[in-house]
């Protein structure tokens, strides 16, 4: 089987790697350089537990399934690439800065406990034992030991290396204009007027999935803008050691002392400008939780585009066109969902049967929503 993957983010790379490991001939086409889209912009939080919300039952299960796969997945990618992916297991703290925040966290925790998720309530004193620089007015915190983090930029480099070593062909600066058909099925992709034949084509272009011409309706994916910044801590004595979710920002510490602060959620298309309001809200949200950040140098600001579908869940599995697979729309959870997406999509493509883990996420659900409306 020859497979053409459109999109070189972590999703396309991991799927390509899994397929190549199983002896499939894989060509991956990336419009820019690999991993420069949402995979580069992300914070790398593997937050399946503390982000679990009512009304997202199927997605919550998929998130937690993928979280459970992460430690072995990280070890396997590192062994295959001989590169670290920076997995850190200190866990996540959700902090309450007033009584309203505390009531909301306790309410969410009751739901999360009902799902069997392991979370603990911390008094302000207990929270400060873990994170001494939290704001003095702290009203309490939730500790989530299972919500860990990975360095998403290191992950891109490791996956690209693992993919190449497994025999995958990586084409960068290669924009796929359209998917071609023959005898009623996908037959390959066109890049710069050159046709690349394939038995199966996978659309894994994240927020850019709508830019590829298809002979069927495109999956309903839109870019959801996120502004972010990073400050530099002293790596020998970091201000923050856990991932911190504050009411208006999250803070993600890296081993080299970088502290990632995110993120706005904006419906602005592909507008890639940092704004004064965006920067202000991130700094204010982070400063209210950890006032000591005010002395740290800002070392980077950036904008990313999450691929959001109509119901904000991913679009995974066969499309209405035989030979064309969708593997996109991971929205806020692309890094988290990488292991399960790659495993389940590779199994679906190789076995010819939709893997039960991705079955709830087929594109046909949007037709059902349309006909019900
Ligand atoms: N997953 C974090 C974000 O989307 O900002």
């Amino acid at each position: 089987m020859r497979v053409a993957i459109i999109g070189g983010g972590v999703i396309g790379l991991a799927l390509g790697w899994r397929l190549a490991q199983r002896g499939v001939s894989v060509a991956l086409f990336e419009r820019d350089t690999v991993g420069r889209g949402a995979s580069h912009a992300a914070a790398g939080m593997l937050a399946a537990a503390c982000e679990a919300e009512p009304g997202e039952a199927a997605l919550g299960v998929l998130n937690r399934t993928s979280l459970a796969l992460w430690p072995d997945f990280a070890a396997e990618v590192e062994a295959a690439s001989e590169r670290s992916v920076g997995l850190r297991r200190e866990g996540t703290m959700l902090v309450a800065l007033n009584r309203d925040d505390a009531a909301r966290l306790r309410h969410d925790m009751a739901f999360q406990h009902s799902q069997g998720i392991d979370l603990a309530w911390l008094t302000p004193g207990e929270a400060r034992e873990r994170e001494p620089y939290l704001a003095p007015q702290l009203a309490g915190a939730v500790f989530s030991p299972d919500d860990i983090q990975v360095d998403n930029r290191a992950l891109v480099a490791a996956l690209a290396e693992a993919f190449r070593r497994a025999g995958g062909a990586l084409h960068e600066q290669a924009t796929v204009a359209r998917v071609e058909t023959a005898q009623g099925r996908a037959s390959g992709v066109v890049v710069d007027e050159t046709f690349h034949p394939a038995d199966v084509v996978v659309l894994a272009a994240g927020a850019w999935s709508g830019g590829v011409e298809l002979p069927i309706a495109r999956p309903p994916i839109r870019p959801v803008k996120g502004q972010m910044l990073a400050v530099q801590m002293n790596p020998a004595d970091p201000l923050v050691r856990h991932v911190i979710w504050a009411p208006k920002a999250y803070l993600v510490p890296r081993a080299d002392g970088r502290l990632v602060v995110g993120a706005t959620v904006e419906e602005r298309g592909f507008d890639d400008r940092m704004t004064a309001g965006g920067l202000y809200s991130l700094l204010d949200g982070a400063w209210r939780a950890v006032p000591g950040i005010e002395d740290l140098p800002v070392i980077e600001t950036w904008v990313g585009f999450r691929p959001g579908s109509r119901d904000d869940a991913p679009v995974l599995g066969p499309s209405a066109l035989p030979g064309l697979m969708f593997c996109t729309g991971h929205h806020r959870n692309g890094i988290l969902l990488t292991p399960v997406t790659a495993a389940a999509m590779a199994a679906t493509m190789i076995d010819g049967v939709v893997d039960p883990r991705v079955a709830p996420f087929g594109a046909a659900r949007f037709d059902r929503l349309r006909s019900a409306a």
Side-chain angles (χ1 to χ4, degrees), residues 85-280:
V85 300
L87 191 75
R88 289 184 60 172
R89 297 164 178 262
E90 288 87 348
T92 292
M93 288 172 64
L94 298 96
V95 302
L97 299 177
N98 56 42
R99 284 169 52 179
D100 289 348
D101 297 341
R104 188 177 43 77
L105 286 185
R106 282 189 186 278
H107 175 267
D108 290 351
M109 196 169 71
F111 168 74
Q112 289 149 348
H113 278 161
S114 76
Q115 304 296 297
I117 297 170
D118 178 20
L119 298 171
W121 182 260
L122 303 180
T123 63
E126 289 166 339
R128 247 184 239 102
E129 270 169 34
R130 290 181 177 275
E131 286 293 355
Y133 298 106
L134 286 172
Q137 78 272 27
L138 193 70
V142 171
F143 177 56
S144 175
D146 294 333
D147 285 325
I148 52 179
Q149 62 138 313
V150 67
D151 181 334
N152 42 291
R153 296 181 184 178
L155 175 67
V156 167
L159 279 173
E161 183 62 21
F163 174 66
R164 281 194 204 93
R165 288 188 185 190
L170 202 51
H171 303 272
E172 296 181 297
Q173 312 298 340
T175 302
V176 172
R178 62 183 182 277
V179 172
E180 288 286 4
T181 56
Q183 278 119 40
R185 56 175 294 126
S187 60
V189 297
V190 174
V191 180
D192 294 333
E193 299 309 319
T194 303
F195 176 63
H196 297 263
D199 304 304
V200 181
V201 175
V202 183
L203 181 63
W208 290 266
S209 296
V212 181
E213 194 183 316
L214 304 180
I216 56 169
R218 295 176 174 128
I221 304 297
R222 71 193 193 287
V224 181
K225 176 179 176 179
Q227 301 187 46
M228 301 182 68
L229 61 90
V231 293
Q232 183 64 44
M233 306 184 292
N234 174 359
D237 184 18
L239 194 68
V240 166
R241 292 168 198 273
H242 299 75
V243 174
I244 307 271
W245 277 84
K248 296 206 165 69
Y250 51 74
L251 298 88
V252 185
R254 301 278 196 241
D256 62 1
R258 199 177 150 82
L259 180 64
V260 175
V261 179
T264 64
V265 180
E266 302 170 67
E267 299 287 349
R268 304 250 163 175
F270 283 111
D271 171 3
D272 64 357
R273 290 171 296 186
M274 290 297 295
T275 62
L279 267 179
Y280 172 76

Side-chain angles (χ1 to χ4, degrees), residues 41-47 51 224-228 245 250 262-265 306 330-335:
M45 292 176 295
L46 308 177
E51 281 202 271
V224 181
K225 176 179 176 179
Q227 301 187 46
M228 301 182 68
W245 277 84
Y250 51 74
T264 64
V265 180
R306 310 168 181 91
H330 291 76
H331 197 228
R332 301 185 65 130
N333 296 314
I335 308 293

